[in-house]
Amino acid sequence: MNPQFTVAPSGSEDAQASAKVEVVSPDCPIDFTPDELQVWDYICDQLRKAGLLHLTAGIAISVIVKKYRRWLTAIEALDDYMDENNGSFTVKTPNGYEQPHQLVHYVDKQEKELLKWLPSCCLTIPTFAKVKALEKGSEQGDLFLDEIRSFMQGRPG
C-alpha cells in the first residue's frame, strides 16, 4: 500500500526564505579599535540590508576588518611618504640603488590578502550575484529548492 501525497502547485515559487528569516549579525568575536569596530558595523549592516545570513561568519568578517584597516593604514603611510618625497615612492639603498619603498610592497600584500578574503563573506559583486542567483533557484529544479535556499542563506559567503 503506497501512501497518497500531493504536490502543491504553489510550491517553491512562493517560498521567500529571506523574508521568513530574520538576518542577525554575530557578536563581535574580538576586541577591535574604534576604527575597526566601525568597519565591522558597516560590513554587518550591509550584509543585513542585503538579506544575507552571516551569523556564522564572525571570524571571517573579523579577518576582513583587520586586513582592511591594515591596508588603509599602509596606504595612508605610503601617501605621507610620497608627500614628503615630491610624489616619489622610491628610496635609495645604502649602496645608492633606488627601489620602491617597503610600504609599496606592504600595501600590495595587504590588498591581495584582503581580496582573497572578501568573497568568503559575499563582499564582492560576483560572489553576491552568485549567491542571489542561487537563492532564486534559476538553475535548480523545484524538488530541493527550499532546502538549497535555506542552506545558501546560512552560508557565510
Side-chain angles (χ1 to χ4, degrees):
M1 183 183 258
N2 291 331
Q4 294 276 334
F5 67 92
T6 60
V7 177
S10 63
S12 61
E13 295 84 27
D14 293 343
Q16 297 293 324
S18 60
K20 293 180 183 178
V21 178
E22 180 184 355
V23 179
V24 178
S25 295
D27 292 331
C28 188
I30 61 175
D31 289 329
F32 282 132
T33 65
D35 288 339
E36 291 168 339
L37 193 55
Q38 185 178 8
V39 175
W40 168 274
D41 290 339
Y42 176 80
I43 290 172
C44 289
D45 183 54
Q46 295 304 306
L47 291 170
R48 283 191 306 272
K49 285 178 182 177
L52 296 172
L53 294 180
H54 56 283
L55 190 58
T56 60
I59 293 172
I61 295 171
S62 297
V63 170
I64 290 169
V65 167
K66 287 288 190 181
K67 296 285 179 195
Y68 178 72
R69 285 302 309 159
R70 287 179 185 154
W71 176 64
L72 285 182
T73 301
I75 288 173
E76 291 167 0
L78 182 58
D79 286 345
D80 290 345
Y81 177 82
M82 290 175 66
D83 288 345
E84 295 169 3
N85 292 283
N86 300 319
S88 174
F89 57 84
T90 59
V91 65
K92 278 194 175 184
T93 67
N95 295 336
Y97 294 103
E98 286 191 7
Q99 66 183 28
H101 192 282
Q102 288 299 309
L103 282 169
V104 172
H105 302 294
Y106 187 70
V107 166
D108 186 49
K109 178 182 176 190
Q110 292 304 313
E111 183 176 298
K112 286 178 181 174
E113 289 180 13
L114 178 62
L115 290 173
K116 286 180 186 176
W117 277 90
L118 290 175
S120 69
C121 290
C122 206
L123 295 174
T124 63
I125 292 171
T127 55
F128 178 79
K130 182 179 178 181
V131 168
K132 285 300 183 181
L134 287 171
E135 284 179 350
K136 292 178 185 173
S138 61
E139 298 175 6
Q140 178 66 34
D142 287 343
L143 183 60
F144 298 106
L145 184 57
D146 293 341
E147 288 78 10
I148 289 176
R149 282 185 181 163
S150 176
F151 172 76
M152 291 307 296
Q153 289 205 353
R155 291 187 61 206

